[in-house]
Amino acid sequence: MSPDKRRPAVLTLVAVVAGVVLLGGAGWYLQTRADGAALPSSSGTAAPTATDRGSESAAAHSPSPQPTAPATGAPSDAPASAPAAPGAPAPASTPGGSNQAGARTPVDVVVVSSSSDEKSGDVSVSGYATTVEENGTCTVSLSSGATSVTVDGPAAPDATTVSCGELVVPRSRLGQGTWQGTLRYSSATSAGTSLPFTIEVH
């Protein structure tokens, strides 16, 4: 075949190949647009798709979480339990063995003498109270085992004390042996008891 006859056939083949290449490129382009793939930009960086732009917009408008301050209890101004009121002091014993009776003023009571008469066996007790007042009473008490005997007598005030005089306990009311005794003074305002003493009854 001559060269002039082969030239049209070559041109036809080139045109067919070019058409196939163009069709393939157009099909690839349309397929890429349909799938939402990123197209290359002139700078070589893929352009963001609609999905990427939506995510960025949501992230930009999403409020950042605020830190929550820990709850603290309000301080209480109420005091703790109030202290208990102090109790009233117990009545103190006075010197000489006297003590307070009720609301009366305590006084000292002193035994001056205590004796048993050798002939009659009667017991005599004398003493005084450290106060000056009228209408007081003195009482001598003797006890031995389960037996107890008391004798009262009026008190007589003098310059500095109240005298109990001499109180006598008859022998007929006492048994033989050792007896424990006390002398007590009392009035509407004062009271007191002596220290105990011991006496032998014959």
Side-chain angles (χ1 to χ4, degrees):
M1 181 179 294
S2 62
D4 294 334
K5 293 182 179 181
R6 289 198 297 271
R7 185 173 301 168
V10 172
L11 292 175
T12 301
L13 180 59
V14 170
V16 171
V17 172
V20 171
V21 171
L22 290 174
L23 290 175
W28 175 84
Y29 178 82
L30 294 176
Q31 182 66 32
T32 302
R33 291 297 297 255
D35 294 340
L39 297 178
S41 63
S42 59
S43 62
T45 305
T49 63
T51 303
D52 296 335
R53 288 193 296 272
S55 299
E56 294 175 358
S57 177
H61 291 82
S62 176
S64 58
Q66 298 298 327
T68 302
T72 58
S76 175
D77 294 333
S81 57
S93 298
T94 59
S98 60
N99 51 29
Q100 184 177 5
R104 290 178 289 184
T105 302
V107 296
D108 291 339
V109 179
V110 179
V111 175
V112 176
S113 65
S114 59
S115 61
S116 175
D117 188 88
E118 294 183 356
K119 294 182 179 180
S120 63
D122 296 342
V123 173
S124 298
V125 178
S126 64
Y128 63 88
T130 57
T131 185
V132 179
E133 60 185 7
E134 296 182 353
N135 302 321
T137 301
C138 293
T139 303
V140 61
S141 299
L142 299 177
S143 62
S144 177
T147 305
S148 179
V149 178
T150 61
V151 172
D152 297 333
D158 55 27
T160 58
T161 62
V162 174
S163 175
C164 292
E166 185 179 38
L167 299 174
V168 179
V169 182
R171 174 66 176 82
S172 59
R173 301 182 59 184
L174 301 173
Q176 186 176 358
T178 302
W179 289 74
Q180 302 293 325
T182 58
L183 179 63
R184 176 176 175 78
Y185 171 81
S186 64
S187 69
T189 58
S190 305
T193 303
S194 71
L195 292 172
F197 60 90
T198 302
I199 191 168
E200 293 290 334
V201 178
H202 303 288

